[in-house]
Amino acid sequence: MFDLHRLRLLRELKHRGTLAAVAAALSYAPSSVSQQLSQLEAEVGVPLLEPIGRRVRLTEQAEILVAHTEAVLERLERAEADIATSLADLTGTLRIASFQTAALALIPTALSLLRDLHPALRVHVTHMEPEQALPALQARDFDLVLAEEYPGNPNPRPAELEQEDLLDDPLRLALPDTGDSPDTDGPTDALRSLADRPWVMEPEGTPARHWAMTLCRNAGFEPDVRFETTDLLLHLRLVERGHAAAFLPDLVWSGRHPTVPLRQLPRGQRARRVFTVVRRGRSGHPAILACRNALSRAVALDSGQA
């Protein structure tokens, strides 16, 4: 029989990439992690790691072990969910990661609902963009992630993660409030009329930036991106002060009236998908079910449907 603890260390190395990252995540010394993995190699009887410069990578046999470890851990999570379901009170800690606008618009209401229904449940929320949060979910740093997907830019769908749609969040062109908003015939014309204006967008390499650049290029121009940030409240402030044009989701208003002129975007580009993600085998846990229900109710309350 292989030692499950050592198998989990091997799995951590698969997801985190380096011995130092595994040690930091688990509060171990790197030498301790290395020693445990060496002992696992002795148990298995074949090499599990091979050096690549100053790093190591998993051998084919190590990858086989990790796949089986994932299946064991998924089964254990199902067992944990079954035990939690059998209890009268919902307790423990639920770890959530959320991107900014969902955290601002939905998380506070969802937390209030969870507190009222399950006062013994401790909820820990981290603001983190999906590009970082989803790998962290796979590494078991979080239990649930709020993520987004932009039109025409589908996210990777790892087999070990399960998604559940939460809402379609409308996206709109936000015009700098300069008093001379363009009078145009349609969405593409409105977009093209801002070709010579400065823009604020999310940083290069993010799905939102790729989507925004593609949208502008399809309208026939290369945007003059002078401001880059993941903070959509800063996007809004720059638009309000007349410094830039932007693409803003409706969640940024969170029930408030828009403070800048907005225009519709071209068809097929008018909403991003917002969804929750959990590890496979975790979706039946009562804390996950309660959280997803609270988020759905928060969406309804924010849209005035409840």
Side-chain angles (χ1 to χ4, degrees), residues 88-146:
D89 297 323
L90 188 52
T91 61
T93 299
L94 179 68
R95 302 163 301 167
I96 300 172
S98 175
F99 61 97
Q100 184 193 40
T101 45
L104 287 169
L106 303 177
I107 290 293
T109 301
L111 288 175
S112 297
L113 294 168
L114 286 171
R115 181 184 59 198
D116 292 342
L117 292 172
H118 308 288
L121 179 65
R122 184 176 185 270
V123 183
H124 186 276
V125 179
T126 299
H127 170 210
M128 186 178 291
E129 297 303 312
E131 302 87 78
Q132 292 77 46
L134 291 174
L137 175 67
Q138 290 179 276
R140 284 177 162 72
D141 291 340
F142 299 106
D143 301 305
L144 180 143
V145 168
L146 275 160

Side-chain angles (χ1 to χ4, degrees), residues 8 70-85 90-96 121-122 137-138 140-145 159-164 276-292:
R8 293 186 72 167
E70 295 282 10
V72 171
L73 293 177
E74 179 188 335
R75 190 59 183 261
L76 289 174
E77 286 204 300
R78 292 183 188 275
E80 181 184 346
D82 288 345
I83 291 172
T85 301
L90 188 52
T91 61
T93 299
L94 179 68
R95 302 163 301 167
I96 300 172
L121 179 65
R122 184 176 185 270
L137 175 67
Q138 290 179 276
R140 284 177 162 72
D141 291 340
F142 299 106
D143 301 305
L144 180 143
V145 168
E160 60 269 28
L161 298 182
E162 296 179 348
Q163 300 182 6
E164 183 175 287
T276 57
V277 191
V278 300
R279 288 183 300 279
R280 190 176 58 197
R282 192 75 173 174
S283 58
H285 194 288
I288 297 294
L289 295 172
C291 182
R292 280 178 158 170

Side-chain angles (χ1 to χ4, degrees), residues 2-301:
F2 302 138
D3 185 274
L4 181 58
H5 171 67
R6 292 169 188 154
L7 288 171
R8 293 186 72 167
L9 289 178
L10 185 66
R11 178 196 175 277
E12 290 287 331
L13 182 59
K14 162 79 173 180
H15 287 286
R16 300 187 189 275
T18 67
L19 293 171
V22 172
L26 302 179
S27 300
Y28 290 163
S31 59
S32 176
V33 174
S34 179
Q35 182 182 29
Q36 292 289 318
L37 292 176
S38 294
Q39 290 176 348
L40 180 61
E41 279 191 329
E43 289 177 0
V44 178
V46 296
L48 299 177
L49 306 176
E50 51 188 11
I52 303 295
R54 295 184 177 181
R55 300 167 65 94
V56 294
R57 72 180 178 191
L58 274 63
T59 64
E60 179 183 352
Q61 292 71 33
E63 295 282 2
I64 292 171
L65 273 179
V66 168
H68 284 285
T69 302
E70 295 282 10
V72 171
L73 293 177
E74 179 188 335
R75 190 59 183 261
L76 289 174
E77 286 204 300
R78 292 183 188 275
E80 181 184 346
D82 288 345
I83 291 172
T85 301
S86 72
L87 300 175
D89 297 323
L90 188 52
T91 61
T93 299
L94 179 68
R95 302 163 301 167
I96 300 172
S98 175
F99 61 97
Q100 184 193 40
T101 45
L104 287 169
L106 303 177
I107 290 293
T109 301
L111 288 175
S112 297
L113 294 168
L114 286 171
R115 181 184 59 198
D116 292 342
L117 292 172
H118 308 288
L121 179 65
R122 184 176 185 270
V123 183
H124 186 276
V125 179
T126 299
H127 170 210
M128 186 178 291
E129 297 303 312
E131 302 87 78
Q132 292 77 46
L134 291 174
L137 175 67
Q138 290 179 276
R140 284 177 162 72
D141 291 340
F142 299 106
D143 301 305
L144 180 143
V145 168
L146 275 160
E148 59 184 348
E149 184 175 271
Y150 281 80
N153 290 270
N155 296 334
R157 285 170 167 76
E160 60 269 28
L161 298 182
E162 296 179 348
Q163 300 182 6
E164 183 175 287
D165 286 347
L166 186 59
L167 76 152
D168 288 329
D169 186 23
L171 295 161
R172 306 182 197 276
L173 173 63
L175 306 177
D177 195 6
T178 58
D180 58 346
S181 298
D183 183 15
T184 58
D185 293 329
T188 301
D189 289 335
L191 186 56
R192 193 178 295 122
S193 71
L194 298 172
D196 296 328
R197 299 283 186 91
W199 285 79
V200 56
M201 291 185 181
E202 297 202 30
E204 289 188 14
T206 60
R209 176 63 171 269
H210 176 74
W211 167 78
M213 294 296 291
T214 300
L215 194 55
C216 291
R217 288 167 179 165
N218 286 341
F221 68 96
E222 191 73 16
D224 177 11
V225 183
R226 298 191 194 179
F227 313 100
E228 297 183 64
T229 175
T230 59
D231 186 347
L232 294 191
L233 295 182
L234 179 53
H235 287 218
L236 173 58
R237 183 55 59 87
L238 290 170
V239 177
E240 288 175 333
R241 298 296 178 88
H243 294 299
F247 299 111
L248 293 178
D250 277 9
L251 277 182
V252 80
W253 308 113
S254 186
R256 298 178 292 113
H257 291 294
T259 57
V260 297
L262 300 174
R263 295 289 185 274
Q264 197 172 55
L265 293 177
R267 291 186 182 277
Q269 304 293 329
R270 293 177 180 174
R272 63 177 177 173
R273 188 171 70 96
V274 178
F275 53 97
T276 57
V277 191
V278 300
R279 288 183 300 279
R280 190 176 58 197
R282 192 75 173 174
S283 58
H285 194 288
I288 297 294
L289 295 172
C291 182
R292 280 178 158 170
N293 181 61
L295 286 167
S296 295
R297 290 180 62 191
V299 169
L301 289 167

